Amino acid sequence: MTSSAEHTPERPEGPAAADVGDVPARRGRVRARRAAVMAVPAAAVAAGFAILTAQGALGVQFAISGMPFTVTATELKGKGFAQFGGLREMAEGSPNAGDTGGQVLVVTSVIKDATLTKLCQSVDLGGTNLIIRAGEGAKKVRASDLTTDSTQLSGDAAFTNIEIGNDASKLNKAGDLGRGPIGVFSQQSDTVRIANLRQTNYATTAGVFKLPGLKLGFSGSGC
């Protein structure tokens, strides 16, 4: 989340580890060394993220499936916001890897305390969509230490006391999880608000995630 405006554990300072003899993994490491992720300036958030290159690779908390999912909310509000770029790794031999070497360039967004109104999450399973909805009534979805890894994000965003161009290893507004690899461009702010949020995510984690009015089901269309 800043879902994706148009998403940790220990982070290595170099490219993510892979078997030396694995050709796709070697290609992934070359991309990581050559690459630099440009975190999004505030004015560009509403237009979407521009992922350029990354000198360092994000440590992963788990191997991602490689299947993107959509997250929407009519409003997201957060205190303690940080954003930086990196890589996510799929499980070795994942059928979703294609020619990517099992790696996805992402923009990681961390919010210390977040509330979301009318949350919708959907994943395309091929012909049908698994949908989760929550926070559609008086109670809002609440999360602490919310982390999202996104490739696309849109909405109308506003920040307070934003800092753009920090070294990701020196971020301090979103706690320990809101600190990225050394040498990576980043931004942070005291608060963030995004109206009409829409994200394409590959991973989401949270210390606490409260989903009032949770509904889960299948549908022919996603969020």
Side-chain angles (χ1 to χ4, degrees):
M1 284 183 207
T2 146
S3 99
S4 320
E6 115 142 335
H7 257 82
T8 64
E10 309 241 344
R11 300 180 170 83
E13 294 181 1
D19 291 339
V20 173
D22 186 46
V23 174
R26 288 202 300 271
R27 288 200 300 266
R29 289 197 295 273
V30 170
R31 286 196 296 271
R33 287 196 295 269
R34 292 179 179 175
V37 176
M38 183 183 75
V40 186
V45 173
F49 290 117
I51 302 176
L52 299 183
T53 54
Q55 292 178 330
L58 268 182
V60 296
Q61 186 171 2
F62 52 81
I64 62 172
S65 70
M67 296 177 65
F69 56 95
T70 299
V71 174
T72 65
T74 57
E75 183 182 60
L76 176 148
K77 288 184 177 180
K79 295 181 180 179
F81 168 78
Q83 193 174 71
F84 47 87
L87 290 170
R88 290 294 266 176
E89 295 275 353
M90 300 178 205
E92 184 177 356
S94 171
N96 300 316
D99 61 357
T100 66
Q103 296 178 326
V104 179
L105 277 169
V106 297
V107 172
T108 295
S109 301
V110 182
I111 301 177
K112 189 64 178 174
D113 295 292
T115 60
L116 300 99
T117 303
K118 294 184 178 180
L119 173 69
C120 179
Q121 176 179 300
S122 65
V123 58
D124 187 347
L125 300 178
T128 189
N129 292 269
L130 174 63
I131 295 185
I132 295 174
R133 297 182 186 275
E136 295 183 326
K139 294 183 178 180
K140 299 180 180 181
V141 172
R142 295 186 178 276
S144 63
D145 293 328
L146 179 64
T147 301
T148 59
D149 293 327
S150 311
T151 55
Q152 290 185 328
L153 186 157
S154 65
D156 300 313
F159 305 88
T160 59
N161 296 324
I162 192 168
E163 302 171 1
I164 301 171
N166 313 62
D167 187 291
S169 68
K170 300 299 183 180
L171 298 178
N172 57 15
K173 292 181 182 289
D176 291 340
L177 291 179
R179 194 173 295 122
I182 190 169
V184 171
F185 190 97
S186 67
Q187 67 176 11
Q188 65 176 354
S189 64
D190 288 346
T191 68
V192 59
R193 177 185 178 274
I194 303 176
N196 302 315
L197 171 69
R198 186 175 189 86
Q199 293 174 292
T200 299
N201 293 345
Y202 276 85
T204 297
T205 64
V208 175
F209 209 12
K210 297 182 178 180
L211 299 160
L214 175 65
K215 299 175 184 177
L216 184 151
F218 294 95
S219 173
S221 59
C223 297

